[in-house]
Amino acid sequence: MAFMRILFFRTACLLAGGVLAGRWGTTIALFGIITSWIIPAFTGKHTQKHPIIFSHLLERLTALIIIMFGETIVGISKYFTQNTFSIQSIMIFIIVVSLFFTYIVEFDHLIEEQRTHETGNLLIYLHYFILFGLSLVTVALDFIHESEANAIFSITCLYVGIALFYIGIVIASYYNKTTLKLENYVVVAFIVVTLMGYFTSMCFATFSIIAGVTALTTLINAVVITLSLVRRYER
């Protein structure tokens, strides 16, 4: 019933926003959406009494992210036509593959699926970071090659998206298996390598450099988290 009330509130705000239109309508609709995102965080007293099946929720959220990666692939398809294919196309593809591989390592190999007495709220909210991050990456990759695009804005948009993605991954480590907790050096690598990639791209703001540096950044981070997994299994 608590979630039904939240859904009813969101629906009412969207309907009111659609009817009023204009600035007021948009404000009411956004208020309803944002509020309905936040309110479930305060439903712990209800969800603790009725824990979710963690593995089922994880499966559905993972499926949603896979769909988002599919949207990203569609977004970069313009780089793979007969007239546009180049080395930069490969770099763009490496960016997407590296991010996907990082996600799979965390959510398919490191995370503990068989958890009990979980509300699932944290798992849901950390996926907002990943969803918004992937959305920003998709948008940035769509126009970053255009000469008319503002270099500072496009690079910042790309790296803010990448940073949000990694923030979600790090938060998700809360659910990792006891023997596979994310080590500190992985988090440090995410921060340092991503910042180096951002500032290098800003210094040499050409499409070729941005694509190459960002591909290297995401690839290094994917390798780091993979090596941490391999080291744990070797122990």
Side-chain angles (χ1 to χ4, degrees):
M1 290 302 298
F3 286 110
M4 286 294 292
R5 293 189 189 100
I6 295 171
L7 180 61
F8 176 79
F9 172 77
R10 179 194 299 175
T11 304
C13 287
L14 289 174
L15 286 173
V19 171
L20 293 175
R23 181 179 298 178
W24 280 105
T26 302
T27 301
I28 292 172
L30 286 175
F31 175 76
I33 293 171
I34 294 171
T35 304
S36 62
W37 281 348
I38 297 172
I39 291 177
F42 301 95
T43 60
K45 65 179 181 180
H46 302 298
T47 52
Q48 285 174 357
K49 296 177 183 178
H50 307 280
I52 51 91
I53 301 175
F54 186 81
S55 60
H56 287 190
L57 178 62
L58 178 63
E59 179 184 4
R60 282 150 181 77
L61 289 170
T62 301
L64 177 61
I65 297 301
I66 291 173
I67 292 172
M68 283 298 299
F69 272 108
E71 292 295 325
T72 306
I73 291 294
V74 172
I76 67 171
S77 61
K78 65 173 66 176
Y79 296 105
F80 294 89
T81 66
Q82 186 175 359
N83 297 325
T84 61
F85 183 78
S86 63
I87 187 65
Q88 289 82 11
S89 304
I90 298 173
M91 296 298 104
I92 295 293
F93 186 68
I94 289 174
I95 294 170
V96 179
V97 170
S98 298
L99 292 176
F100 179 74
F101 196 78
T102 302
Y103 182 85
I104 291 300
V105 169
E106 170 59 37
F107 285 90
D108 197 43
H109 297 283
L110 297 179
I111 206 164
E112 175 57 74
E113 296 183 14
Q114 305 305 320
R115 301 179 68 94
T116 56
H117 306 294
E118 291 285 349
T119 64
N121 282 349
L122 178 62
L123 186 66
I124 293 170
Y125 279 102
L126 70 88
H127 272 83
Y128 281 135
F129 288 99
I130 296 173
L131 283 168
F132 291 145
L134 281 177
S135 297
L136 284 173
V137 169
T138 302
V139 170
L141 293 179
D142 186 53
F143 67 81
I144 202 168
H145 67 287
E146 297 177 3
S147 56
E148 299 84 3
N150 182 289
I152 295 176
F153 174 77
S154 56
I155 294 170
T156 301
C157 182
L158 176 61
Y159 275 88
V160 167
I162 292 172
L164 287 174
F165 178 86
Y166 288 138
I167 288 171
I169 295 293
V170 172
I171 297 174
S173 65
Y174 168 82
Y175 292 114
N176 283 9
K177 299 171 185 176
T178 305
T179 57
L180 296 176
K181 292 295 183 182
L182 209 61
E183 297 183 271
N184 291 334
Y185 78 86
V186 178
V187 180
V188 172
F190 281 175
I191 296 171
V192 173
V193 175
T194 304
L195 285 175
M196 289 178 62
Y198 173 69
F199 288 115
T200 304
S201 297
M202 291 290 282
C203 291
F204 306 95
T206 64
F207 176 54
S208 298
I209 297 295
I210 296 169
V213 169
T214 307
L216 184 61
T217 298
T218 53
L219 184 60
I220 289 174
N221 287 334
V223 170
V224 168
I225 194 172
T226 304
L227 287 178
S228 72
L229 173 63
V230 173
R231 284 181 56 194
R232 292 299 183 87
Y233 277 123
E234 287 178 347
R235 294 175 186 175

